[in-house]
Amino acid sequence: DGGITQSPKYLFRKEGQNVTLSCEQNLNHDAMYWYRQDPGQGLRLIYYSQIVNDFQKGDIAEGYSVSREKKESFPLTVTSAQKNPTAFYLCASRAGGPIDTQYFGPGTRLTVL
Amino acid sequence: GENVEQHPSTLSVQEGDSAVIKCTYSDSASNYFPWYKQELGKRPQLIIDIRSNVGEKKDQRIAVTLNKTAKHFSLHITETQPEDSAVYFCAASIGGGSYIPTFGRGTSLIVHP
C-alpha cells in the first residue's frame, strides 16, 4: 500500500477557487496518472505523465491542469473552469516500460461548497 | 479508443456462494487485463491480472478467464466471504510502453453472512 501519498484526504473549496491536490511517490516510478471517480462512473483519466517534464491530456482534462517538474511529484490543480469538481480523485503510478501494474494513492475527496 | 463494459453493476450473494463479474472490451489489440478491488473510501488494489497469451489464471479463491475471440474476460470468486464485499473494477489496455488502461464502471459485490 505504501509508496504513493495524496494530500489532503478531504478538501473543501468555494466556487470560483482554484485548488491543488498533491500526489507524491517514492517508488521511483516513471509514469503517473490522475483519475476522477464518481459513483457508477468507474475511473476516468484526467492527465497522465510518462516521464518528467512531459504530460498528456486524458479523457476529461478540461478544467484541470498538472505539472511534472520532479519524478516523484505530480500535482493536480482543479481550476474554477471545472464545472462539477466534487468527486474522489485518485493518483496512480507505474514503473514504466514493460511493467503494467498501477499502484494507487489513498485518494482526495474534493467537495465544492 | 477502447471501450470496456462491465456487468452486473451490483451483485448480491450469500456467504460461501460463488460470484462472477464479466467485462467485454472493444479493441482487439488490448492484451493486458487487470482486476482491482476497492473497499469503501479506500484506494483500488490490484487483485489479479491476465495477459492475452493465457486463457485462465488462478490465485487461491480468485480466478480470471479470458476469451480473446469473444473479447470478454471474467472474474470468478469462490467461497465468498463478507470481507470480499467491495467494488470490483476491470480494465483493458495494450500493455507496455504508453500504458493507458480503460476501466469498467465497477461492480458492487455484497456478501451476506
Side-chain angles (χ1 to χ4, degrees), chain A residues 1 4 33 35 37 40-43 45 48 50 88 90 94 97 100-102 104-106, chain B residues 32 36 38 41-46 49 51 89 95-101 103-105:
Chain A
D1 274 3
I4 306 179
Y33 308 77
Y35 293 95
Q37 186 173 31
Q41 294 277 355
L43 301 175
L45 182 64
Y48 64 99
Q50 302 288 357
F88 189 52
L90 285 161
R94 181 179 72 92
D100 298 319
T101 306
Q102 283 182 312
F104 286 86
Chain B
Y32 177 66
Y36 291 87
Q38 186 179 27
K42 301 291 181 64
R43 72 186 82 193
Q45 293 193 302
L46 180 71
D49 56 12
R51 297 189 185 275
F89 292 97
S98 182
Y99 173 70
I100 308 297
F103 288 85
R105 293 195 169 197

Side-chain angles (χ1 to χ4, degrees), chain A:
Chain A
D1 274 3
I4 306 179
T5 58
Q6 290 184 243
S7 62
K9 186 173 183 180
Y10 299 98
L11 187 57
F12 298 91
R13 188 194 92 175
K14 293 182 179 180
E15 284 191 18
Q17 288 182 335
N18 292 355
V19 63
T20 298
L21 282 59
S22 169
C23 178
E24 304 278 334
Q25 54 97 1
N26 62 3
L27 301 169
N28 199 35
H29 284 177
D30 288 322
M32 297 186 74
Y33 308 77
W34 274 105
Y35 293 95
R36 171 178 172 144
Q37 186 173 31
D38 297 283
Q41 294 277 355
L43 301 175
R44 293 186 290 169
L45 182 64
I46 305 172
Y47 269 97
Y48 64 99
S49 168
Q50 302 288 357
I51 57 172
V52 177
N53 293 322
D54 187 49
F55 50 82
Q56 284 78 41
K57 293 181 179 180
D59 300 321
I60 56 166
E62 185 176 352
Y64 300 98
S65 66
V66 294
S67 63
R68 187 84 188 277
E69 297 177 0
K70 298 186 295 183
K71 188 175 186 178
E72 59 270 25
S73 179
F74 192 40
L76 174 74
T77 296
V78 184
T79 74
S80 57
Q82 170 48 234
K83 299 304 180 186
N84 184 22
T86 294
F88 189 52
Y89 290 87
L90 285 161
C91 178
S93 70
R94 181 179 72 92
I99 301 173
D100 298 319
T101 306
Q102 283 182 312
Y103 296 89
F104 286 86
T108 292
R109 187 165 297 281
L110 172 64
T111 303
V112 175
L113 303 174

